[in-house]
Amino acid sequence: MAKLKTNSGAKKRFTLTGSGKIKRKHAYHSHILTKKTKKRKRNLDHFALIHDVDVKRVKEMLVL
């Protein structure tokens, strides 16, 4: 059987933590930042964990 390929879009967007959870970045922090408040931009800067419902789907894309 052929090897499974990792989804190249997913490998750019998600990273694994040491405990095996999946981290993601927040949206809305890449451009048009002048109209956003400092507080909003600061809060978007932190990483977040993906929701439990999406874990299986993301792991399939990352071939874990």
Side-chain angles (χ1 to χ4, degrees):
M1 190 172 145
K3 290 183 179 179
L4 292 173
K5 288 191 175 181
T6 299
N7 181 300
S8 61
K11 72 183 173 189
K12 296 171 192 172
R13 287 172 171 82
F14 302 108
T15 54
L16 281 174
T17 63
S19 60
K21 295 176 183 174
I22 303 171
K23 283 194 306 188
R24 66 170 176 86
K25 279 187 152 182
H26 284 282
Y28 307 110
H29 192 61
S30 58
H31 67 292
I32 313 176
L33 298 172
T34 52
K35 64 174 78 170
K36 294 169 188 160
T37 63
K38 286 181 182 179
K39 180 181 178 181
R40 183 172 166 192
K41 290 185 282 192
R42 185 171 62 244
N43 288 334
L44 290 172
D45 209 24
H46 304 298
F47 281 93
L49 296 176
I50 64 167
H51 200 271
D52 297 337
V53 177
D54 300 319
V55 170
K56 182 181 174 189
R57 192 166 38 151
V58 173
K59 282 188 174 181
E60 285 173 359
M61 288 192 283
L62 294 173
V63 191
L64 298 175

